[in-house]
Amino acid sequence: MYSKCGAMFDACKVFEEMPFKDEVSWTAMIDGYNKIGEFGEALYFSVVKLGFESHIFVGNALTDMYSKSGDMESASNVLGIDPECRNVVSYTCLIDGFVETEQIERALSVFVELRRQGIEPNELTFSSLIKAYSNQAALEQGTQLHAQVVKIDFDEDPFVSSILVDMYGKCGLLENSIQVFDEIGDPNEIAWNLLVSVFGQHGLGIDAIKIFERMVDRGVKPNATTFVSPLTGCSRAGLVEEGLNCFYSMDKTYGVVPREEHYSCVIDLFGGAGRLKEAKEFMDRMPFEPNASGWCSFLGACRIHGDKEMGKLAAEKLVKLEPENSGALVLLSNIYANERQ
């Protein structure tokens, strides 16, 4: 109970007072430290000393903990302690860790070893691998995984299907994204968000808004993440009024308070359309100071539209926020160069 609540001091006191520490208690302690992003070396050495690392649940907890912290060497070492104490969870934790650290080939090697051991992958295994190919826009490998997903009937799993929607979208196959989405019996919030995102990424603002409205009509409540995609799509398509309507509907209609990323989208919306004065007025009215992303968008727009004075202001603000950002000075020099031409 204490470890689940993150109260590790109390959890340790109870743990130390236990006369017998079994597999369940060790796993609970590891999970507790994992949840708060910490792990005591003393605890790990105690696990090894008493031989509990070869227990499958404890081993899985250790593999998951190391994978989430990015320590893939330690995660691999835990998995290699006892070949007999591995299951699909063990391999999936390792695959997901390699995917998150962008070691795609090693993730694939683990998947091959999983199949060689005769262990059936589950929906989370496939989701991790599909996400890997999605991030790399590797269509051929992703399509092969999709075929395996269909073969073992995981294509009906909303989470796996959602990742497929994203993968095909990032590969530019929008029709495939729609087809996979339409085959989901009851799309959840993740699936809807990813479909909206697919169209937003490709600058199809009107389509992103239509899908957003369809999502709302189906009774799925949008969250802060949802709105980034139609705003991005409108910005890339130059749909200023549609984008503004979307932005102002967030709080007024859906009770979602805009965050920095939404304000940055609107700055980009105005800037892309060359409406720099309105962009600056919008920035002045923001409830907080624009972040580096906002000033960077504004600076880029100033360069494109040749506004030296506003560009100088944006560059100064950006350098103040990110002194190491040499790109701000490069963009500013480009503004001066364009003016002299």
Side-chain angles (χ1 to χ4, degrees):
M1 178 191 74
Y2 286 122
S3 62
K4 284 185 177 179
C5 297
M8 295 311 299
F9 177 79
D10 296 303
C12 285
K13 285 181 63 178
V14 174
F15 183 74
E16 288 171 2
E17 292 170 0
M18 293 175 65
F20 174 72
K21 300 171 180 64
D22 61 7
E23 180 179 353
V24 176
S25 57
W26 281 111
T27 303
M29 287 296 292
I30 295 168
D31 284 341
Y33 278 108
N34 193 4
K35 284 184 174 67
I36 63 172
E38 299 178 3
F39 189 68
E41 288 299 316
L43 181 61
Y44 171 71
F45 287 125
S46 296
V47 168
V48 174
K49 183 178 179 180
L50 296 172
F52 277 99
E53 82 281 4
S54 62
H55 289 229
I56 195 161
F57 292 112
V58 177
N60 287 348
L62 285 169
T63 304
D64 183 52
M65 183 275 300
Y66 281 125
S67 295
K68 285 179 177 174
S69 68
D71 186 355
M72 297 312 300
E73 182 178 353
S74 296
S76 300
N77 289 341
V78 171
L79 192 68
I81 289 171
D82 186 350
E84 297 300 316
C85 294
R86 301 171 181 170
N87 61 9
V88 66
V89 176
S90 320
Y91 284 101
T92 299
C93 288
L94 199 60
I95 289 170
D96 195 55
F98 281 127
V99 171
E100 291 299 324
T101 54
E102 298 184 356
Q103 300 180 65
I104 307 306
E105 291 303 317
R106 294 193 68 180
L108 184 59
S109 297
V110 176
F111 179 72
V112 171
E113 176 63 16
L114 174 149
R115 299 312 303 266
R116 193 180 71 80
Q117 294 288 339
I119 298 173
E120 286 295 322
N122 62 19
E123 60 271 27
L124 295 179
T125 316
F126 281 115
S127 295
S128 293
L129 282 170
I130 294 166
K131 182 168 60 175
Y133 293 131
S134 174
N135 292 341
Q136 295 205 336
L139 179 61
E140 183 178 350
Q141 295 92 331
T143 303
Q144 291 173 0
L145 274 177
H146 187 183
Q148 291 192 48
V149 165
V150 172
K151 185 177 179 180
I152 57 179
D153 293 329
F154 280 145
D155 55 320
E156 296 181 5
D157 181 88
F159 189 67
V160 175
S161 296
S162 298
I163 304 298
L164 285 167
V165 168
D166 185 53
M167 181 198 74
Y168 283 120
K170 286 179 177 174
C171 292
L173 300 178
L174 304 188
E175 290 300 321
N176 294 63
S177 284
I178 295 171
Q179 182 179 346
V180 171
F181 180 84
D182 288 340
E183 290 173 357
I184 302 174
D186 185 20
N188 57 17
E189 182 183 291
I190 296 172
W192 281 107
N193 282 350
L194 286 173
L195 188 64
V196 175
S197 175
V198 162
F199 285 91
Q201 288 167 3
H202 290 279
L204 302 171
I206 292 295
D207 294 289
I209 288 174
K210 285 180 179 178
I211 293 166
F212 171 83
E213 291 172 344
R214 183 177 152 202
M215 177 186 88
V216 173
D217 289 341
R218 290 282 294 271
V220 178
K221 187 177 180 180
N223 57 25
T225 303
T226 313
F227 285 95
V228 173
S229 298
L231 286 171
T232 300
C234 287
S235 175
R236 292 180 180 177
L239 302 170
V240 178
E241 298 309 317
E242 291 83 352
L244 289 175
N245 288 337
C246 179
F247 176 79
Y248 288 115
S249 74
M250 289 181 64
D251 194 7
K252 185 178 179 180
T253 306
Y254 301 102
V256 178
V257 178
R259 302 193 302 215
E260 287 185 336
E261 59 266 35
H262 305 108
Y263 281 95
S264 293
C265 285
V266 176
I267 294 168
D268 198 47
L269 187 69
F270 279 125
R275 293 160 64 167
L276 300 180
K277 182 180 177 182
E278 290 172 85
K280 181 60 172 61
E281 290 173 349
F282 177 80
M283 295 168 81
D284 291 339
R285 295 195 307 270
M286 286 171 56
F288 41 74
E289 283 291 314
N291 61 11
S293 176
W295 283 114
C296 190
S297 294
F298 187 60
L299 178 56
C302 291
R303 181 189 67 81
I304 292 169
H305 299 287
D307 194 317
K308 183 183 72 173
E309 293 306 316
M310 285 197 177
K312 183 180 178 183
L313 170 68
E316 290 172 350
K317 293 282 190 180
L318 187 53
V319 169
K320 187 176 180 180
L321 287 169
E322 295 183 342
E324 74 286 355
N325 192 335
S326 59
L329 296 175
V330 172
L331 282 172
L332 183 58
S333 67
N334 288 339
I335 292 172
Y336 282 110
N338 291 338
E339 190 181 56
R340 287 194 295 269
Q341 291 178 355

